[in-house]
Amino acid sequence: MIIRSKAPLRLGLAGGGTDVSPYSDMYGGLVLNATINLYAYCTIEELPDCDYIEIDSYDADVHERCVLAESLVIDGKASLIKGVYNRLMKDFALPLVGFRINTYNDAPAGSGLGTSSTMVVAIIKAFVEWYSLPLGDYEISRLAYEIERKDLQLSGGKQDQYAAAFGGFNYMEFLQDDMVIVNPLKVKRWIVDELEASMLLYFTGRSRSSAAIIDQQKKNASDGNTKSVEAMHRIKQSAKDMKLAILKGDINEFARILGQAWEDKKKMADAITNPMIEEAFNVALEAGARAGKVSGAGGGGFIMFVVEPTRKKAVIEALSHLPGFTMPFNFTDGGAHGWKIYATDDVRTLKKK
C-alpha cells in the first residue's frame, strides 16, 4: 500500500512575528495568512516484510536507511521525518512496520513560505491516513508545532502549521499557553481574483535560515526593546486592518497596509532586510509596484509585491534583470489532505479521504 499527502505553503500577509513566543504570551498575537498552490509532499510505501525504514528527503538531500526501531536517532539528517516518527510512535504506539518515505517541496527551504512546518504537517497527515489516527486540523497543527518547537527545539512561530492544516485565508489569534484560534475568512471570488491579478511573487534567489532572525525577535520581546515591541504592536494591528481591507476588496488599503507593515517589520530585527532585498524593492517600485513585503522572517526568500494589474508585466520585466525570478501563483482553499493507493493484481486503485 502507498500513502500520499500534500499540504499547501502560505503567504504571510500581515501580523507575522506576533505568533512567536514570548510576544504572543505577553501581548497576544494576530496573523493573517493565505495558502497558495505550492505544496509540501509526502509519500509512504508500506514494506511489511522489511526490517528497515528508508528515507528519501530531497529538500534536505538525505537518502539513508535506518534500522526499524521504536525511536530514531535525531542526528541532524532528515530531522523533521524522524521527529514526526518518534512522536507518533510515542503517542500512539504504532506497530513496528518497515516503510519507505519520500518528501519534497515545491519551494526551496528558507523561502519564507513556511516550508519546514508545512512539511511536518504533510508527514503527519500521511501517517494519519495510513493508520486512521483520530486527529483533526487543530490536533495536527498543535502536534506539528510541538514536534518542531519542543521536541526538535527549532526556532519559529505557530502560524505555518495551522495554515498548512486548515488552508485558505485565515485570521489567527495566538494566546497564552500556546492556545490558537483559527478564524477562516470567506473571501468573495472577485476579491480573490483581484488579489491574484494585483500581486506578484518574487524569489530573491537566496534562501535563508530564519532561526537567527527569530531568536533576535524573541530576545527583543523578552528584553522589552521599545522600538522592536512597538513595531510588533503595529504589525499586530495591521492584521486587523488587512482583514477588513480584504473582506471589503479594498486593494488600495491592502497595498498601504502591506507597505507600512514592511517598514515596521524591518524594525523587529537587524537581519530582516539587506542590500539584495532593498535592490529588489527599488527596482520593483521604480517599475510601478505599489508596495511589497518579504514573506516569512526576512533576510531572503520570497517578496510579495502589490502591482496595478496593467503594470504587472513591466515589473516582471524589470525584476528579470536581477538574480531572482518571479513565480506565478494562485490562492487555494483546501488544507492538508491524504489518500491511499492499493495494489491489487498489479493494478493500483485509489481511495481518497
Side-chain angles (χ1 to χ4, degrees):
M1 179 171 62
I2 294 176
I3 303 93
R4 302 195 200 280
S5 66
K6 62 188 291 191
L9 304 180
R10 62 96 187 102
L11 291 180
L13 299 175
T18 68
D19 58 314
V20 180
S21 297
Y23 182 88
S24 58
D25 299 320
M26 298 166 65
Y27 306 104
L30 293 173
V31 169
L32 177 63
N33 57 36
T35 52
I36 59 176
N37 60 336
L38 298 174
Y39 297 88
Y41 301 88
C42 177
T43 293
I44 295 176
E45 183 178 356
E46 192 177 45
L47 304 173
D49 298 325
C50 298
D51 60 354
Y52 59 81
I53 298 170
E54 190 171 294
I55 295 174
D56 289 312
S57 176
Y58 283 93
D59 298 305
D61 195 25
V62 174
H63 309 278
E64 67 174 340
R65 181 175 291 184
C66 306
V67 175
L68 185 62
E70 292 183 356
S71 180
L72 302 178
V73 177
I74 305 297
D75 55 3
K77 298 179 180 179
S79 296
L80 300 181
I81 293 173
K82 295 173 182 177
V84 171
Y85 176 81
N86 290 351
R87 181 61 180 268
L88 293 180
M89 289 295 291
K90 176 184 174 183
D91 287 1
F92 296 97
L94 302 180
L96 275 176
V97 178
F99 63 91
R100 179 181 297 113
I101 184 168
N102 172 292
T103 61
Y104 67 95
N105 258 300
D106 280 337
S111 63
L113 303 181
T115 52
S116 296
S117 300
T118 303
M119 180 57 73
V120 174
V121 170
I123 297 168
I124 293 174
K125 189 65 177 179
F127 278 95
V128 167
E129 184 74 15
W130 188 7
Y131 289 108
S132 299
L133 301 179
L135 298 175
D137 292 341
Y138 271 107
E139 290 81 10
I140 290 174
S141 305
R142 176 64 179 255
L143 185 59
Y145 164 75
E146 291 184 353
I147 290 170
E148 269 196 284
R149 308 294 174 236
K150 298 181 180 181
D151 297 356
L152 297 176
Q153 293 292 298
L154 300 175
S155 293
K158 307 180 185 73
Q159 67 158 309
D160 299 346
Q161 297 88 349
Y162 288 84
F166 281 82
F169 285 81
N170 288 295
Y171 180 70
M172 302 180 181
E173 304 172 57
F174 300 92
L175 310 174
Q176 289 183 339
D177 301 320
D178 294 330
M179 180 181 292
V180 180
I181 301 172
V182 178
N183 304 281
L185 301 184
K186 187 175 181 180
V187 183
K188 293 180 179 179
R189 183 68 248 179
W190 75 265
I191 297 174
V192 175
D193 289 340
E194 183 66 10
L195 283 171
E196 290 175 350
S198 305
M199 293 183 70
L200 181 64
L201 198 55
Y202 173 75
F203 184 61
T204 58
R206 180 186 300 174
S207 300
R208 84 289 177 270
S209 171
S210 62
I213 295 173
I214 291 171
D215 287 343
Q216 185 179 356
Q217 291 177 203
K218 293 167 69 173
K219 184 177 186 301
N220 288 340
S222 297
D223 295 346
N225 182 301
T226 302
K227 178 182 176 182
S228 177
V229 171
E230 288 181 352
M232 293 182 76
H233 288 341
R234 291 192 296 272
I235 286 171
K236 182 171 72 172
Q237 179 63 41
S238 75
K240 295 181 182 180
D241 298 338
M242 188 174 283
K243 178 185 72 168
L244 181 60
I246 287 178
L247 291 175
K248 290 169 61 179
D250 189 340
I251 305 301
N252 291 332
E253 181 68 358
F254 174 83
R256 185 196 68 78
I257 295 168
L258 193 78
Q260 183 57 54
W262 172 239
E263 295 304 315
D264 289 326
K265 185 181 181 70
K266 290 188 286 186
K267 298 181 176 68
M268 292 168 59
D270 295 334
I272 284 175
T273 191
N274 54 48
M276 173 195 65
I277 292 174
E278 292 301 317
E279 181 182 16
F281 268 86
N282 290 336
V283 168
L285 293 175
E286 287 178 5
R290 300 166 64 183
K293 184 176 80 69
V294 172
S295 182
F302 279 94
I303 303 174
M304 300 172 285
F305 289 110
V306 183
V307 184
E308 162 60 40
T310 60
R311 296 291 301 166
K312 200 169 189 177
K313 285 293 185 181
V315 176
I316 292 173
E317 170 62 24
L319 289 170
S320 70
H321 299 290
L322 299 181
F325 59 87
T326 55
M327 178 173 285
F329 75 94
N330 296 101
F331 292 108
T332 60
D333 292 328
H337 64 280
W339 61 98
K340 296 175 182 175
I341 300 172
Y342 295 91
T344 305
D345 296 328
D346 294 326
V347 177
R348 289 178 176 176
T349 58
L350 184 68
K351 178 182 178 183
K352 182 177 178 180
K353 288 186 178 180

